Amino acid sequence: MTLGTVVDAKKIRYDAKAVGAILDGVDTIHAMKGKRVVHLDLTKKRKIPKSQILAAILGPFGTLRAPAFRRGSTLIVGFDEATY
């Protein structure tokens, strides 16, 4: 496996506006918050509100939660051993 762009989350923060660039081309989001896992399918005909997407991937300070990585058209945010 090769790594693409690696960003130190302590130095570079992605807020709600900057997350838009990360979401370009994303079809599926898997977001973990504690033991809760949220799966969002962005290809469905029913549009998912942006507020729901941001609630799943942003932390309490309004920045992208870590760890976050993108594999193809899938964005994975947070940590859950079963999902990895």
Side-chain angles (χ1 to χ4, degrees):
M1 174 173 31
T2 61
L3 292 177
T5 304
V6 177
V7 177
D8 184 353
K10 292 179 183 178
K11 295 181 182 179
I12 298 178
R13 305 282 182 174
Y14 289 95
D15 60 4
K17 292 179 183 177
V19 165
I22 294 172
L23 293 176
D24 284 341
V26 170
D27 293 335
T28 308
I29 298 174
H30 302 285
M32 286 69 73
K33 286 187 174 183
K35 293 185 179 189
R36 194 177 108 219
V37 180
V38 177
H39 301 282
L40 301 173
D41 184 2
L42 305 181
T43 61
K44 289 185 178 180
K45 291 182 181 179
R46 194 183 107 237
K47 201 84 159 135
I48 297 174
K50 188 172 183 177
S51 60
Q52 184 179 355
I53 296 170
L54 293 177
I57 64 174
L58 297 181
F61 297 109
T63 57
L64 183 64
R65 292 184 310 106
F69 70 92
R70 183 173 168 177
R71 171 114 175 141
S73 63
T74 302
L75 179 67
I76 299 177
V77 181
F79 181 79
D80 176 58
E81 190 171 346
T83 302
Y84 278 88

